[in-house]
Amino acid sequence: MNEIRSLLINDQWIVSLRGNKNQVNPLRPYGWLVEKERTITGKIEDTGIIFLTNRECPFHCLMCDLWKNTTDESVPVGAIPAQIEWALGQMPEVKHVKLYNSGSFFDIRAIPEEDYKEIASLLKNFKTVIVESHPRMINDKCLKFRNMLTPELHIALGLETVHHEILMKLNKQMTVDDFSNSVSFLTKNGIHSRAFILLRPPLLSESEGIYWAERSIDFAFSSGVECCTIIPVRGRNGAMDFLMKKGDFNLPHIKSLEEVLEYGIELKSGRVFADVWDLGIFSKCNKCIELRTKRLTEMNLSQEIITPIKCECNY
Ligand code: SF4
Ligand SMILES: [Zn+2]
């Protein structure tokens, strides 16, 4: 294992290395898309994702680049429902929707509590609503929002890694116990949770990255999550570029993502997905990148292992 170097990683250092934010409009989401996902009942159905524009997350995680599309100040009451209404008007009809807000849905400086009712009303015809949250922002507000909703509420929580020292270095300001306590709270209250797990955070080699992603999947399922999503670490936020130049961070390989996804699916403990956005950066072989992306996408949907890709880059 790599020596865990004594880098002083804190909010100030991370923020000092950032570039500029993108220009965003508080009355429009900064993006939306529709993708197929295997649902909790095993059906493959379209899921809409709305990338809400709101105030920046109060945490400053080392690997995070979500601040790029946020505002410095809270958006006014009514702006978030307006964004959702606008996005739903753009997208085809879907039964499931993810509201991703570059932070925590239950951060009231990002999503005003006064908006919960209108948001719930806009979502009344959906089957599932998935929001994201920092584990330490899981509290009674989740129940308040859930009680207003007709669709089932699922909450995605960043576990990131169960490697204690690396989790500290990520500046996530949480422990693995915070994560499992939040999952227990949600489970006790009948809310499904899913875990975001990083593949190869900084300061880990490729094989360590695989090992710790697999241990993190084990931990997430033993805590009670219903689903895990493996996210290959990308960087591109200033601090991560700095670490990359120093040799303290390298992009994981797409083959490692395949290996960890296979591991997770074989556990049969719940749904396991690989994040398949922008996978081209995780491979230097243009002969198989499309085939590997297709394989990962198909495994996400089928939750079965598909024949491995044969390519000269395997040898
Ligand atoms: S909690 Fe999530 S959104 Fe906030 S800084 Fe960390 S990774 Fe980014
Ligand atoms: Zn190849």
Side-chain angles (χ1 to χ4, degrees):
M1 183 183 297
N2 277 349
E3 176 195 337
I4 307 298
R5 296 174 183 81
S6 52
L7 275 172
L8 180 62
I9 294 175
N10 57 24
D11 285 23
Q12 207 186 1
W13 182 78
I14 292 166
V15 173
S16 74
L17 292 167
R18 284 179 174 182
N20 294 330
K21 288 185 175 182
N22 298 325
Q23 273 220 315
V24 288
N25 176 350
L27 296 177
R28 288 280 181 272
Y30 70 89
W32 65 267
L33 57 88
V34 174
E35 64 180 15
K36 294 212 177 297
E37 186 167 288
R38 186 183 179 93
T39 67
I40 195 166
T41 59
K43 287 187 188 153
I44 314 292
E45 291 185 322
D46 284 338
T47 301
I49 309 178
I50 305 176
F51 299 97
L52 297 169
T53 303
N54 58 202
R55 184 191 169 112
E56 184 183 324
C57 176
F59 298 95
H60 300 106
C61 300
L62 175 64
M63 68 296 177
C64 182
D65 64 358
L66 296 170
W67 50 268
K68 289 181 181 173
N69 293 302
T70 60
T71 55
D72 292 338
E73 302 301 329
S74 297
V75 298
V77 170
I80 300 293
Q83 292 182 36
I84 295 170
E85 192 170 18
W86 182 85
L88 295 179
Q90 306 291 307
M91 64 174 66
E93 210 169 296
V94 291
K95 292 179 182 150
H96 314 276
V97 67
K98 295 177 182 171
L99 302 178
Y100 283 171
N101 72 310
S102 306
S104 299
F105 188 87
F106 303 103
D107 170 6
I108 52 171
R109 295 194 305 172
I111 312 271
E113 231 175 320
E114 297 94 312
D115 282 339
Y116 286 5
K117 209 167 157 196
E118 202 177 336
I119 296 171
S121 162
L122 286 165
L123 303 176
K124 63 179 185 297
N125 293 325
F126 286 84
K127 276 192 188 166
T128 323
V129 175
I130 301 143
V131 301
E132 59 184 353
S133 179
H134 187 288
R136 281 178 46 204
M137 290 217 176
I138 294 299
N139 52 40
D140 287 343
K141 286 191 183 52
C142 311
L143 310 184
K144 182 178 170 185
F145 181 60
R146 189 274 311 274
N147 292 343
M148 294 177 186
L149 281 176
T150 313
E152 196 169 88
L153 177 64
H154 294 199
I155 302 182
L157 303 168
L159 167 60
E160 321 302 356
T161 181
V162 289
H163 187 306
H164 290 271
E165 291 93 332
I166 299 295
L167 185 56
M168 292 280 287
K169 291 277 183 210
L170 293 181
N171 198 39
K172 181 103 186 169
Q173 315 284 333
M174 71 160 210
T175 62
V176 293
D177 288 343
D178 290 327
F179 176 87
S180 55
N181 290 338
S182 296
V183 173
S184 300
F185 173 83
L186 294 174
T187 307
K188 196 174 78 192
N189 286 289
I191 298 175
H192 289 298
S193 50
R194 61 172 71 185
F196 290 137
I197 288 166
L198 298 178
L199 173 61
R200 199 175 179 184
L203 304 163
L204 294 183
S205 67
E206 192 74 20
S207 59
E208 290 165 351
I210 294 169
Y211 176 84
W212 285 105
E214 293 179 354
R215 297 299 71 73
S216 302
I217 294 173
D218 295 342
F219 180 82
F221 280 128
S222 70
S223 298
V225 305
E226 177 278 320
C227 173
C228 289
T229 299
I230 310 147
I231 301 175
V233 178
R234 294 183 167 82
R236 297 187 299 205
N237 68 351
M240 295 292 284
D241 301 293
F242 177 91
L243 295 178
M244 203 172 201
K245 266 192 215 137
K246 278 185 65 209
D248 286 331
F249 168 62
N250 271 305
L251 294 171
H253 199 281
I254 192 168
K255 285 182 262 184
S256 306
L257 184 60
E258 291 176 87
E259 187 175 332
V260 176
L261 180 62
E262 286 172 20
Y263 172 84
I265 289 173
E266 277 175 341
L267 285 179
K268 301 209 176 304
S269 299
R271 294 177 292 166
V272 182
F273 299 134
D275 172 11
V276 291
W277 294 348
D278 194 17
L279 288 182
I281 62 169
F282 301 109
S283 173
K284 290 195 174 69
C285 178
N286 57 17
K287 293 200 175 111
C288 63
I289 179 66
E290 275 179 32
L291 290 172
R292 290 188 194 279
T293 302
K294 190 163 173 271
R295 178 171 188 251
L296 284 162
T297 306
E298 284 174 8
M299 289 202 288
N300 278 348
L301 295 177
S302 66
Q303 292 294 290
E304 279 172 14
I305 310 300
I306 291 171
T307 317
I309 304 299
K310 284 193 186 132
C311 182
E312 60 199 44
C313 68
N314 285 355
Y315 309 107

